[in-house]
Amino acid sequence: MIRFEHLLRPTPAGLYCPPGDFYVDPVQPVDRAVITHGHADHARSGHGTVLATPQTLAIMSERYGEAFATHRQGVAYGETVSHNGVEVGMAPAGHVLGSAQAVIRWKGITMVVSGDYKRRRDPTCAAFEPVPCHVFISEATFGLPVFTHPPDSEEIGRLIQSLRQFPERAHLVGAYALGKAQRVIRLLREAGWDRPIHVHGALERLNRLYEREGVDLGPILPATGLKPNALGGEVVIAPPSATQDRWARRFADPVLAFASGWMLVKARARQRGVELPLVLSDHADWPELIATFTELKPEEAWITHGREEGLLRWCELNGQKARALRLVGYEEEDDEAGPTDVADGQATERAATAV
């Protein structure tokens, strides 16, 4: 009898498919990798062949250079390819631009590797699509009942209210370079903020990529070459690390904000010195995780990277067979910036200073 582990099993390098001889989001260089999305803890360079959505391949090219893999294979949403008798398809994950669930089928078994995902609307990427399956492999970043995130519109509304309340102060928003920064920009545009938004150099390449993919970010200006006490009443978006260093000192008495699901934990906001915590996550919160499990009703749920124990307990109480994979190498929240983003941002800063 075929067992689910015959199709996918955890290994130190990541989830491995023995009949297809490939890995999903491997944490070590491998001959053949299926990549769910472009964040650096899931999409690493140095593989032989990389299979991903065209958008994810473009993101990896921007972040790591054209030689990030020996070969690349683009698979659009809804398409499938076959390798060694194993079918691999891509379904939207709703996480960031190009993010996908890897749908793997073999001998009547369907297993879905969700990667990272969320269920709420995101104006910068395709919405999550549930795929019927025998095994659903889910993240658990916010896998505790306490993590119930407020509506995005409320959080962006708080940012706009602060801008009106403190028009003399720059508002410096820490947001991860891939996905979160562009989402914050689009949510601001939808809320009626039509003034130019200034960005750190580390965001510029990814912003241009999003624009090429049809995501209209509106007027964007570089936050470089500025005089001291600049940009009072304006929005500046930067990787979280940049908000903590001397780069941030150029702005007019900045209101420090940070867009992250972890801003629901007040101690984390205090530790970072965040004055305006914005609870905006690109991961499913507890209600979204539970809604997904309830909707799919898989024969088994495999849970990885995050608060696995909370979801395991929920599955036990609700008659859902589940196990924890305990994979290592994946971050709690998406990465701040890829190595190429950081290098480009620093180069932009040096060039502006020289001028």
Side-chain angles (χ1 to χ4, degrees), residues 131 194 202:
V131 179
D194 56 4

Side-chain angles (χ1 to χ4, degrees), residues 228-252:
N229 298 316
L231 301 183
E234 304 296 340
V235 176
V236 183
I237 300 180
S241 58
T243 67
Q244 304 292 323
D245 66 22
R246 64 179 185 177
W247 176 86
R249 298 175 191 169
R250 70 190 69 185
F251 303 111

Side-chain angles (χ1 to χ4, degrees), residues 147-327:
F147 292 114
T148 300
H149 299 150
D152 299 346
S153 58
E154 290 185 7
E155 298 304 285
I156 291 298
R158 292 175 56 242
L159 174 57
I160 292 177
Q161 180 182 9
S162 182
L163 284 157
R164 291 170 177 164
Q165 187 175 359
F166 303 106
E168 74 285 358
R169 303 178 67 186
H171 282 61
L172 181 55
V173 182
Y176 296 116
L178 171 57
K180 188 67 65 61
Q182 296 79 23
R183 183 172 164 215
V184 168
I185 292 170
R186 276 302 312 157
L187 290 171
L188 279 166
R189 299 307 186 198
E190 291 185 348
W193 189 263
D194 56 4
R195 291 160 66 173
I197 294 173
H198 295 73
V199 300
H200 186 278
L203 309 184
E204 292 181 3
R205 286 169 64 111
L206 289 171
N207 283 350
R208 290 196 297 269
L209 188 153
Y210 267 69
E211 292 269 11
R212 291 197 300 271
E213 292 293 333
V215 180
D216 182 9
L217 301 178
I220 302 292
L221 295 175
T224 54
L226 303 173
K227 297 179 180 179
N229 298 316
L231 301 183
E234 304 296 340
V235 176
V236 183
I237 300 180
S241 58
T243 67
Q244 304 292 323
D245 66 22
R246 64 179 185 177
W247 176 86
R249 298 175 191 169
R250 70 190 69 185
F251 303 111
D253 187 20
V255 174
L256 179 57
F258 185 24
S260 169
W262 294 110
M263 290 298 95
L264 198 62
V265 181
K266 293 181 180 179
R268 293 212 178 193
R270 287 196 298 269
Q271 289 168 1
R272 287 179 169 267
V274 175
E275 184 176 348
L276 182 61
L278 302 173
V279 184
L280 291 168
S281 176
D282 286 327
H283 297 262
D285 65 1
W286 176 262
E288 293 173 8
L289 291 167
I290 297 311
T292 304
F293 281 34
T294 302
E295 180 178 7
L296 292 175
K297 295 182 174 63
E299 290 186 26
E300 291 188 19
W302 293 4
I303 303 167
T304 183
H305 60 282
R307 273 67 189 160
E308 299 167 340
E309 293 77 9
L311 278 177
L312 285 173
R313 179 59 175 161
W314 182 90
C315 289
E316 179 184 355
L317 293 174
N318 288 273
Q320 170 67 67
K321 188 175 181 181
R323 60 176 286 196
L325 295 184
R326 308 195 189 284
L327 297 174

